[in-house]
């Protein structure tokens, strides 16, 4: 999986936040960025989109970020999920992160370098899970082949 | 001045400081989002400039570099758009603050009360994020009042309404005219107030919130301000359904109320 195919989804009800992060990622990375100001629309798109990392704001009027990321996990269990949170919401956000099993949170106002590190690590984590899942499938196939071979040998020799 | 009056003055001052604190926290929160976007965009512009300088250094632009320039142009286009939105937000916020707390409005003036309600809602913006605001403004004449004080009443009522709905709800603000008076109604779909507490709600020091300094005086001060204008303030509430505050103010101050000087002593 190369970086060209890597997709990062950004969800925040504030267009200026989504737009700023999108501009930054488009300048500094080769990630494909999917920007959304509506969590409902973002969830609807997850049916068709392969997404590696999802960054979502905590305080959104339509749906809070933790609920959104929990529902996103049902649709795309392998995507790494990051919560974006204002200083005032930090305490609630941390509790929610633990409950929802999120990867990390990034505090607003964000630092672009720090955000890049968190997103890159999140993408890598997703890719590692993907590779691990592929190896597991290979291992299972090999195991089945081995079992079949064993059966044929038993039949041939006994 | 007697000791009791001193204590009362202290408490009113504490209440004002507490509401100032709430306002400052709110404004800080409101500034944070556009400033965060501008801060990030500034960084993106710096990075883009470095990339462009790097590309232009050898005075030859390769096809790969041309693609990079296109990428930079796309990023700059996004930066320009989001910076525009952020700056617009800041301008509106400053405008609201100016309307809310204009020093020249400490004196009697004829004002558009909708302006005061809207600037108060703008200052409370961060508290309204999970709340749906329904405005039903009627045709109002210019109303003679102390605008700063009336804004303080709006702030108290609207802030209380948001506090009653920590998990979200609907905040209704409506206005109408009835004879020589205007009516302002602030309605929430929050937890409601117990019947036994309703009668005491405008008493100084009465509060159902925790014992923070300055709490429990907002409604008492609001009552005094409205009273000082020759108006009335009333409350209706149903537990688990919500609370409605109704303020009625005369369109013209009576000579008796106009004679009151604008000094703080009136409120003690």
């Amino acid at each position: 999986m190369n970086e060209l195919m890597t997709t990062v989804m950004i969800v925040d009800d504030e267009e200026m936040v989504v737009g700023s992060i999108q501009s930054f990622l488009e300048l500094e990375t080769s990630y494909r960025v999917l920007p959304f100001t509506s969590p409902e629309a973002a969830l609807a798109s997850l049916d068709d989109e392969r997404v590696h990392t999802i960054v979502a704001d905590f305080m959104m009027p339509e749906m809070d970020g933790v609920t959104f990321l929990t529902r996103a996990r049902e649709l795309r269990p392998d995507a790494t999920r990051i919560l974006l949170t204002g200083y005032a919401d930090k305490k609630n956000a941390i509790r929610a992160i633990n409950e929802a099993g999120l990867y990390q949170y990034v505090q607003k106002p964000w630092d672009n370098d720090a955000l890049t590190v968190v997103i890159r690590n999140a993408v890598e984590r997703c890719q590692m899970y993907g590779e691990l899942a592929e190896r597991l499938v290979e291992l299972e196939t090999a195991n089945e082949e081995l079992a079949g071979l064993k059966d044929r040998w038993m039949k041939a020799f006994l | 001045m007697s000791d009791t009056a001193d204590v009362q003055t202290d408490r009113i001052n504490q209440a004002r400081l507490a509401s100032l604190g709430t306002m400052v926290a709110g404004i800080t929160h409101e500034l944070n989002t556009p400033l965060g976007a501008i801060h990030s965009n500034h960084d993106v512009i710096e990075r883009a400039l470095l990339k462009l300088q790097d590309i232009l250094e050898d005075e030859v632009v390769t096809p790969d570099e041309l693609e990079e320039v296109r990428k930079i142009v796309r990023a700059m286009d996004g930066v320009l758009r989001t910076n525009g939105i952020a700056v617009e937000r800041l301008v509106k916020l400053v405008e609201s603050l100016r309307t809310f707390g204009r020093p020249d409005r400490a004196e009697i003036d004829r004002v558009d009360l909708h302006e005061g309600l809207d600037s108060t809602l703008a200052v409370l913006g961060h508290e309204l994020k999970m709340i749906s605001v329904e405005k039903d403004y009627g045709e109002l004449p210019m109303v003679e009042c102390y605008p700063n004080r009336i804004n303080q009443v709006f702030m108290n009522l609207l802030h209380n309404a948001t506090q009653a709905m920590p998990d979200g709800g609907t905040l209704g603000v409506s206005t109408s005219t009835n004879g020589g008076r205007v009516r302002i109604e602030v309605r929430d779909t929050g937890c409601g107030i117990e019947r036994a507490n309703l009668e005491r709600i405008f008493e100084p020091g009465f509060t159902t919130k925790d014992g923070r300094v300055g709490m429990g005086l907002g409604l008492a001060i609001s009552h005094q301000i409205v009273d000082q204008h020759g108006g009335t303030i009333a409350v209706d509430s149903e537990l688990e359904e919500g609370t409605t505050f109704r303020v009625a103010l005369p369109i013209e101050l009576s000579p008796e109320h106009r004679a009151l000087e604008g000094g703080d002593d009136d409120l003690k």
Side-chain angles (χ1 to χ4, degrees), chain B residues 46-99:
Chain B
E46 264 185 348
R47 289 169 192 255
L49 194 63
L50 280 177
K51 282 178 193 281
L52 285 175
Q53 282 167 343
D54 199 37
I55 290 169
L56 293 172
E57 201 175 30
D58 53 8
E59 301 196 344
V60 179
V61 179
T62 65
D64 276 356
E65 284 175 336
L66 195 64
E67 194 40 54
E68 181 72 12
V69 172
R70 288 203 182 96
K71 195 169 155 179
I72 294 170
V73 170
R74 278 198 298 275
M76 286 302 96
D77 195 46
V79 161
L80 195 67
R81 193 175 51 81
T82 47
N83 254 9
I85 302 172
V87 169
E88 178 95 347
R89 177 77 61 87
L90 291 175
V91 168
K92 275 190 183 155
L93 184 66
V94 170
E95 189 55 43
S96 299
L97 286 171
R98 203 180 280 153
T99 315

Side-chain angles (χ1 to χ4, degrees), chain A residues 13-17 19-20 22-24 26-30 57 59-61 64 88-89 108-110 112-113, chain B residues 29 32-34 36-37 39-41 43-44 47-48 51 71-72 75 78-79 81-82 85-86 89 126 129-130:
Chain A
D13 60 304
E14 293 281 6
E15 200 187 339
M16 56 183 127
V17 172
S20 302
Q22 183 183 9
S23 299
F24 170 69
E26 282 177 353
L27 184 76
E28 288 291 344
T29 71
S30 305
D57 183 36
M59 284 276 268
M60 294 187 284
D64 74 80
D89 321 317
K108 283 182 180 175
W110 66 95
N112 280 334
D113 281 324
Chain B
H29 204 282
N32 212 16
T33 302
H39 185 253
S40 165
N41 284 338
D43 175 54
V44 174
R47 289 169 192 255
K51 282 178 193 281
K71 195 169 155 179
I72 294 170
V79 161
R81 193 175 51 81
T82 47
I85 302 172
R89 177 77 61 87
H126 72 293
K129 206 161 184 188
M130 311 299 268

Side-chain angles (χ1 to χ4, degrees), chain B residues 139-150:
Chain B
E139 288 273 324
L140 287 195
M142 298 297 263
V143 174
E144 189 183 20
C145 62
Y146 290 94
N148 273 359
R149 294 187 186 185
I150 292 300

Side-chain angles (χ1 to χ4, degrees), chain B residues 192-230:
Chain B
I193 302 161
E194 283 192 42
R195 199 158 288 275
N197 293 337
L198 267 184
E199 291 165 13
R200 302 185 54 205
I201 199 160
F202 296 114
E203 285 176 18
F206 179 77
T207 180
T208 54
K209 300 173 189 168
D210 59 35
R212 277 176 288 159
V213 170
M215 298 305 279
L217 278 170
L219 286 173
I221 290 174
S222 298
H223 186 269
Q224 276 178 311
I225 293 172
V226 172
D227 197 43
Q228 185 195 34
H229 285 76

Side-chain angles (χ1 to χ4, degrees), chain B residues 237-248:
Chain B
S237 191
E238 285 293 331
L239 274 183
E240 306 307 325
E241 283 189 15
T243 303
T244 304
F245 281 93
R246 291 188 184 83
V247 175

